[in-house]
Amino acid sequence: MKFGPDRAHTRAADPWRRQTPWIIPNAVPGTSATADIQTQPAGAHVLADGMVSLGLRRRADAIAAAFGAIEPTLRDLTPRQFEPSFPDIASRILRDRLDVSVPPAALRATWTNPLNLRALHGAVVLAVFRQLVERAFDRDHTRLTDGESVEALIQRWGFHAVDVSACADGRLSGVLDYILRVPPAVVAWRKSYAGAMFDIDESIRHWESIELRRWRDGRPNTAGVPTRFLKIGVYHFSSLDPRHEGCAAHGSDDGRAAGTLLRRLEEFEAAVRAIHSEDAGVATLMVGVDTDTDAIRVHIPDGAGRMSLDRVADNRDLYPATAALDREGAKAAIRDAVAGAAGVVADDDATEGMRWLCGYLLKNNIGQIDAVRSWHGGAYADAGHTERLIVVGDPIDDVQLRNLAFQAQMNTIEEGSGDLFIGISILRKRLEPEGLPVPVLANARYDTRIPGAADRARKRAKRLRSAILASHPALAERGLLHVECAVRAGEAPRLEPVDPEDARS
Amino acid sequence: MKFGPDRAHTRAADPWRRQTPWIIPNAVPGTSATADIQTQPAGAHVLADGMVSLGLRRRADAIAAAFGAIEPTLRDLTPRQFEPSFPDIASRILRDRLDVSVPPAALRATWTNPLNLRALHGAVVLAVFRQLVERAFDRDHTRLTDGESVEALIQRWGFHAVDVSACADGRLSGVLDYILRVPPAVVAWRKSYAGAMFDIDESIRHWESIELRRWRDGRPNTAGVPTRFLKIGVYHFSSLDPRHEGCAAHGSDDGRAAGTLLRRLEEFEAAVRAIHSEDAGVATLMVGVDTDTDAIRVHIPDGAGRMSLDRVADNRDLYPATAALDREGAKAAIRDAVAGAAGVVADDDATEGMRWLCGYLLKNNIGQIDAVRSWHGGAYADAGHTERLIVVGDPIDDVQLRNLAFQAQMNTIEEGSGDLFIGISILRKRLEPEGLPVPVLANARYDTRIPGAADRARKRAKRLRSAILASHPALAERGLLHVECAVRAGEAPRLEPVDPEDARS
């Protein structure tokens, strides 16, 4: 069977031939998308798209500013808490400066019962995060694809759905928008796990669900079209401090992180074929991220779809190797590197779609490397963790930024306690010395079409919260663990807060 | 769309016309299936099949004998534990009398460290249960269907899969073989929950999985055939002591048990239609069981597939009402009662398949009512709970018998703690006064086709065990909670014990 896209139809969609960028700089509401576009900075890589990077930079600054305003605001408020009209004043200040809503009644202090600034800090961090999610930054760049939908483009690469499992590590919090720079519409499913150790049974169910939709509804294409479901696993490592700043779930051992994920991807692919026959449409791809420079290495599948730890196209090499070339030369060099790693000739039919995708990711990522170089002097100053919060339960991917959130997807803490433990340890190390609690959002998504689903989601969010607190009783007791719950109707921008004490829901 | 089976093809499969029984009396290995068949006992109901009941009775006696031998054997052994060759002797006695294997090393006692008879009792109860499962009682009665497969017969009733969710209560432990008397091949899926409160999301996934198989593999039929997926929910009540011996999960409130289950069935059906369009093939049926007499009442769906709490065909009425009739008259009376409850004419096309199924269940159940009458004098002497053990995790349905096991299906104790709590409370009430621990088997099934699944099942079984012990620390501390774990390869007869201390698995 031939999985590669039909050449006659795909040449026109070759991303290498596109001039328009995928991501445009209009991320910050209130600023004009085109007002002060800067030209490509001097010394930039020929494949880097300055406009895209600028947009991403603006959004990053807006997010950092929102969180950065929290501590000064709370420091200002602390000594004034015993003033007579403090609750109203403080509520207004929190709204004006942080755009979060805290009712005055929650800000009432007496000399015997002063404000709990720890709890307030945790609550405000989560409120700022919720507010950023609701702001719904424009991430939908499908209109930039020359009138062709992202879905159609993916299909031309030979896929009908893309499922990404990344490590829960906060330094991958920007993996889609920043590191890989793929429009959200490309990714049908996204969950994070410590060490990227996704649940095989759940992934099989996802494969089945997507496959059934093809058969019953012909969406995104009919089952007769030989496209594949692509599962991408993303691990990470640190080029500057490999033994300490790598993946905590794998003891900061680069080889172990990649080897374990590769085995799991192979198991997933084998499982789908074993259950649904050898011709089941499934493919896997593994990507490693250097969290110091955001450079990726892509483990290129060979002609039989097999990957190895060594057969990679690595942007740490490709960036400098292509820096002095002209645009066409740089693209050709990446194409050749991908074909070389795949061990196929440059015009091999069977691997064409996958090679295009790999080249697309590598080219996009060169823009991110370039941005890190120009804005952070080559590598991030904060090589380690500075996550703001932990998201437990269902993923929240709307706000993308390095070190924003440690995301640990799980149905119950009983299954996910290892992931949660890693996340709390990471944030605690930084926050506890400052006397600040680890803010955790227990999030449950529901399908508005399913009767009773909202109510069950509220129950699940509350159950997660209870289990998180129960799993770290000493920390909770000392006020160093602040857990709230929320539910979300499908893809709606609003995270609905859930009162954990409300027995009705 | 017409969901009813095609008449021309189905008349021949009308179960009313069958003379051969579904279940034959060869359940006890070592006894001849036909050696001492008794004729229909005098006074038996005309629709009761004495041969089937006799076979079930023999199997029940064999199961009861296996458990009944435990206490006398352990009582015998207790005073002899300090004899020099006790470990070997005891191990042999346990094998000879109970057919369970306990290594001599585990039976070594000293005067400072005597045998822990509590733990041994728990272990032996679970070992006897495992051994009964491995005995693989013959429950496959498909060969009795005149050469027609059960699958084909179900399809003639208009269904392609039957999914049963019963209450976890041990008095429904024999719901398939005894109360409903359906061959196991009829039921594609079976899980139990306290109050029969099944998980809607999981049931939707099961629907999708079955549906995809129809599309991809044409099994059990192709998706073009307008058969439906049938979900049956089974609740229970007590006719003799309704306020105390009803469903513990619903406060022994008959109406609440039925009303809550009906709502959940309606929600499930609505969810499948909402997600997969109005023409998605799905049907629901609710059955209530009187645990004192095993009589069922079937909530007959009307012409639109809707059920109500009041529209029932109740065997507590139908048994006496048909007792004096001849065979054909009795069958006609049930048919009429079903059509009456459905509110349709007796030859209504659209509801024909469902009505056949309902009639089939009612007729089968008359045999069970008859058996309870003749062997237990009309109602069970033990109206309440005498479960031997609790099964947590994945279901084990091979050994069917009233009050054998409280079965609580769950992925994690965090989700299922309510069900587990009910089960432990029920067994503890009876066992604690005798100084005996509650035996719990944490069971995880795995698909042999999925790489790594066996290992993950072992991890899950061990995680369940830890969580069960952690959820009842005081009971565990006092040795009154005995939890073991096991995994099972698909439908294989063997439950593989898992060493909870073995870090490798």
Side-chain angles (χ1 to χ4, degrees):
Chain A
M1 181 168 293
K2 178 176 171 300
F3 284 116
D6 184 285
R7 276 165 173 256
H9 289 99
T10 43
R11 280 292 180 232
D14 180 349
W16 300 112
R17 287 164 205 253
R18 277 177 201 293
Q19 292 307 313
T20 38
W22 284 80
I23 296 175
I24 57 162
N26 65 338
V28 185
T31 66
S32 160
T34 49
D36 55 354
I37 297 287
Q38 291 161 18
T39 52
Q40 199 80 338
H45 194 286
V46 67
L47 291 181
D49 189 319
M51 279 171 64
V52 173
S53 293
L54 189 62
L56 289 170
R57 176 67 189 259
R58 284 200 185 129
R59 203 202 299 164
D61 289 345
I63 295 168
F67 283 104
I70 296 174
E71 190 175 320
T73 305
L74 295 186
R75 276 185 187 274
D76 281 357
L77 291 179
T78 304
R80 301 174 58 186
Q81 61 182 293
F82 306 108
E83 293 173 12
S85 54
F86 176 79
D88 291 317
I89 295 172
S91 181
R92 203 176 57 239
I93 289 176
L94 289 171
R95 162 147 323 279
D96 292 349
R97 290 207 212 156
L98 305 178
D99 204 11
V100 302
S101 162
V102 180
L107 295 164
R108 201 152 286 145
T110 65
W111 70 277
T112 55
N113 195 18
L115 274 190
N116 181 344
L117 267 298
R118 281 189 178 178
L120 186 59
H121 186 273
V124 168
V125 167
L126 295 182
V128 165
F129 178 69
R130 277 200 302 269
Q131 176 258 317
L132 288 168
V133 172
E134 281 184 35
R135 234 157 109 172
F137 290 120
D138 181 10
R139 300 173 60 219
D140 181 12
H141 313 285
T142 50
R143 60 196 150 78
L144 293 176
T145 56
D146 296 341
E148 186 184 34
S149 76
V150 168
E151 272 187 354
L153 188 70
I154 296 169
Q155 286 176 43
R156 297 212 177 180
W157 292 341
F159 307 111
H160 54 258
V162 179
D163 170 330
V164 177
S165 286
C167 180
D169 193 296
R171 291 168 299 181
L172 298 189
S173 249
V175 68
L176 297 183
D177 285 13
Y178 289 78
I179 300 173
L180 302 180
R181 300 193 170 194
V182 291
V186 166
V187 181
W189 189 268
R190 154 83 196 282
K191 286 200 174 187
S192 301
Y193 303 89
M197 287 292 98
F198 62 89
D199 182 319
I200 289 184
D201 295 324
E202 189 184 38
S203 294
I204 294 170
R205 287 196 299 268
H206 184 216
W207 184 94
E208 291 180 345
S209 180
I210 296 269
E211 189 68 13
L212 180 61
R213 202 175 61 183
R214 297 175 76 213
W215 284 98
R216 274 184 68 88
D217 311 330
R219 285 187 301 136
N221 58 11
T222 56
V225 183
T227 52
R228 294 183 291 173
F229 174 108
L230 174 64
K231 172 125 200 146
I232 302 180
V234 184
Y235 69 94
H236 63 100
F237 58 95
S238 163
S239 58
L240 298 180
D241 193 359
R243 304 232 171 135
H244 300 100
E245 294 295 356
C247 183
H250 293 299
S252 201
D253 179 334
D254 186 358
R256 210 175 92 196
T260 315
L261 177 57
L262 179 57
R263 201 157 54 244
R264 184 145 299 197
L265 288 166
E266 288 169 348
E267 284 179 352
F268 163 68
E269 196 170 326
V272 170
R273 289 191 208 287
I275 297 173
H276 294 287
S277 84
E278 276 302 315
D279 69 352
V282 59
T284 51
L285 181 65
M286 185 163 76
V287 174
V289 175
D290 173 12
T291 52
D292 297 319
T293 63
D294 278 355
I296 62 171
R297 63 179 173 220
V298 181
H299 295 257
I300 313 290
D302 67 12
R306 278 187 303 261
M307 293 182 284
S308 86
L309 294 184
D310 308 321
R311 225 170 41 246
V312 297
D314 194 328
N315 259 353
R316 286 180 300 168
D317 305 326
L318 287 170
Y319 183 95
T322 55
L325 304 178
D326 66 7
R327 194 171 160 81
E328 286 311 311
K331 292 197 283 189
I334 293 181
R335 261 197 300 265
D336 290 348
V338 170
V344 300
V345 292
D347 62 350
D348 176 61
D349 260 8
T351 60
E352 186 173 35
M354 178 65 95
R355 285 187 294 113
W356 270 353
L357 172 69
C358 294
Y360 167 67
L361 296 177
L362 288 161
K363 169 176 158 282
N364 286 358
N365 177 251
I366 279 182
Q368 177 66 5
I369 300 173
D370 207 63
V372 174
R373 285 169 75 99
S374 65
W375 288 321
H376 301 279
Y380 289 107
D382 55 339
H385 295 276
T386 57
E387 287 95 339
R388 310 281 181 177
L389 72 154
I390 296 176
V391 175
V392 166
D394 292 330
I396 302 177
D397 277 338
D398 313 59
V399 188
Q400 292 259 323
L401 188 61
R402 182 177 188 272
N403 262 336
L404 176 68
F406 183 96
Q407 292 237 13
Q409 266 74 68
M410 58 189 74
N411 284 319
T412 60
I413 305 303
E414 191 173 320
E415 295 162 297
S417 62
D419 286 20
L420 177 68
F421 181 81
I422 291 171
I424 289 185
S425 304
I426 285 172
L427 270 81
R428 184 185 176 177
K429 199 179 283 178
R430 189 170 54 79
L431 294 170
E432 193 170 341
E434 301 184 50
L436 292 174
V438 175
V440 183
L441 187 64
N443 175 54
R445 187 171 285 204
Y446 62 90
D447 187 331
T448 50
R449 299 169 300 177
I450 302 183
D455 188 45
R456 288 191 292 277
R458 279 188 286 271
K459 282 203 176 74
R460 181 174 156 231
K462 291 199 290 187
R463 198 187 60 218
L464 281 168
R465 177 179 175 274
S466 301
I468 293 164
L469 292 170
S471 71
H472 289 75
L475 208 64
E477 176 70 28
R478 292 165 57 209
L480 291 173
L481 186 58
H482 181 88
V483 190
E484 293 185 11
C485 24
V487 297
R488 186 175 198 180
E491 303 291 328
R494 181 144 187 273
L495 295 172
E496 310 160 32
V498 176
D499 177 358
E501 309 301 333
D502 185 353
R504 284 169 311 167
S505 66
Chain B
M1 180 168 292
K2 178 177 170 300
F3 283 116
D6 185 283
R7 277 168 172 254
H9 289 100
T10 43
R11 280 292 179 232
D14 181 348
W16 299 112
R17 288 166 203 252
R18 276 175 201 294
Q19 291 307 313
T20 38
W22 284 81
I23 295 174
I24 56 162
N26 66 340
V28 185
T31 66
S32 160
T34 48
D36 55 353
I37 297 287
Q38 292 160 17
T39 52
Q40 199 81 338
H45 194 287
V46 67
L47 291 181
D49 189 317
M51 279 171 65
V52 172
S53 293
L54 188 63
L56 289 169
R57 175 67 190 260
R58 283 202 185 129
R59 204 202 299 164
D61 289 345
I63 294 168
F67 283 105
I70 295 174
E71 190 176 320
T73 305
L74 295 186
R75 276 184 187 275
D76 281 357
L77 291 179
T78 305
R80 300 175 59 184
Q81 62 181 293
F82 305 108
E83 292 173 14
S85 53
F86 177 79
D88 291 318
I89 294 172
S91 182
R92 205 177 54 239
I93 289 176
L94 289 171
R95 162 147 322 280
D96 293 348
R97 290 206 212 156
L98 304 179
D99 203 12
V100 303
S101 161
V102 180
L107 295 164
R108 201 151 285 145
T110 64
W111 70 278
T112 54
N113 195 17
L115 274 190
N116 180 344
L117 267 299
R118 280 188 179 177
L120 186 59
H121 187 274
V124 169
V125 167
L126 296 181
V128 165
F129 178 69
R130 278 200 302 267
Q131 176 260 316
L132 288 168
V133 172
E134 281 184 36
R135 234 157 108 171
F137 290 119
D138 181 9
R139 301 172 59 220
D140 182 12
H141 312 286
T142 50
R143 61 194 150 78
L144 292 177
T145 56
D146 296 340
E148 186 184 33
S149 76
V150 168
E151 271 187 355
L153 188 69
I154 296 169
Q155 285 176 43
R156 296 210 179 182
W157 292 343
F159 307 111
H160 55 258
V162 179
D163 170 330
V164 177
S165 287
C167 180
D169 193 295
R171 291 168 299 181
L172 297 189
S173 249
V175 68
L176 298 184
D177 286 14
Y178 288 79
I179 299 173
L180 301 180
R181 299 193 171 193
V182 292
V186 167
V187 181
W189 190 269
R190 153 84 197 282
K191 286 201 173 186
S192 301
Y193 304 88
M197 286 293 98
F198 63 89
D199 183 318
I200 289 183
D201 295 325
E202 190 184 38
S203 295
I204 293 169
R205 287 197 298 267
H206 184 216
W207 184 94
E208 291 180 344
S209 180
I210 296 268
E211 189 67 13
L212 180 60
R213 203 175 60 183
R214 297 175 77 213
W215 284 97
R216 273 185 69 88
D217 310 330
R219 284 186 304 134
N221 58 10
T222 55
V225 183
T227 52
R228 295 182 291 173
F229 173 107
L230 174 65
K231 173 126 201 145
I232 302 180
V234 184
Y235 69 94
H236 62 100
F237 57 95
S238 163
S239 57
L240 298 180
D241 193 359
R243 303 231 172 137
H244 300 99
E245 294 296 355
C247 182
H250 293 298
S252 201
D253 180 333
D254 188 357
R256 209 174 92 196
T260 316
L261 177 56
L262 178 58
R263 200 158 55 243
R264 184 144 300 197
L265 288 165
E266 287 169 349
E267 284 179 351
F268 162 68
E269 196 172 323
V272 170
R273 290 190 208 284
I275 297 174
H276 294 287
S277 85
E278 275 303 314
D279 68 352
V282 58
T284 52
L285 182 65
M286 184 163 76
V287 175
V289 175
D290 172 12
T291 53
D292 297 318
T293 62
D294 278 356
I296 62 171
R297 63 179 173 219
V298 181
H299 295 257
I300 314 288
D302 67 12
R306 278 188 302 261
M307 294 182 284
S308 86
L309 294 184
D310 308 321
R311 225 171 40 245
V312 297
D314 194 329
N315 260 353
R316 287 180 299 169
D317 304 326
L318 287 170
Y319 183 95
T322 56
L325 304 177
D326 66 8
R327 194 170 161 82
E328 287 310 311
K331 291 198 283 188
I334 294 181
R335 261 198 299 264
D336 289 348
V338 170
V344 299
V345 292
D347 62 350
D348 177 60
D349 260 8
T351 59
E352 186 172 35
M354 179 64 96
R355 286 187 293 113
W356 270 353
L357 172 70
C358 294
Y360 167 67
L361 296 176
L362 288 161
K363 170 177 156 284
N364 286 358
N365 177 251
I366 279 184
Q368 177 66 4
I369 299 173
D370 207 64
V372 174
R373 286 169 74 98
S374 64
W375 288 320
H376 301 278
Y380 290 106
D382 55 338
H385 295 276
T386 58
E387 288 96 339
R388 311 279 181 177
L389 71 156
I390 297 176
V391 175
V392 166
D394 291 330
I396 303 177
D397 278 338
D398 313 60
V399 188
Q400 292 258 323
L401 187 61
R402 182 177 188 272
N403 261 335
L404 177 68
F406 184 96
Q407 293 236 15
Q409 267 72 70
M410 58 188 74
N411 284 320
T412 59
I413 304 303
E414 191 173 319
E415 296 161 296
S417 62
D419 286 20
L420 177 69
F421 180 81
I422 291 171
I424 289 185
S425 304
I426 285 171
L427 269 83
R428 184 185 176 179
K429 200 179 282 179
R430 190 170 53 78
L431 294 169
E432 192 170 342
E434 300 185 50
L436 293 173
V438 175
V440 184
L441 187 64
N443 174 55
R445 188 171 286 203
Y446 62 90
D447 186 331
T448 51
R449 299 169 300 177
I450 302 182
D455 188 46
R456 288 191 293 277
R458 278 188 286 272
K459 282 202 177 74
R460 181 174 158 231
K462 291 199 291 187
R463 198 187 61 219
L464 280 169
R465 178 179 174 274
S466 301
I468 293 164
L469 291 170
S471 70
H472 288 75
L475 209 63
E477 176 69 29
R478 292 165 58 209
L480 291 173
L481 187 58
H482 181 88
V483 190
E484 294 186 10
C485 23
V487 297
R488 187 176 198 180
E491 302 291 327
R494 180 146 187 273
L495 294 172
E496 310 161 32
V498 176
D499 177 358
E501 308 302 334
D502 185 354
R504 284 169 311 167
S505 66

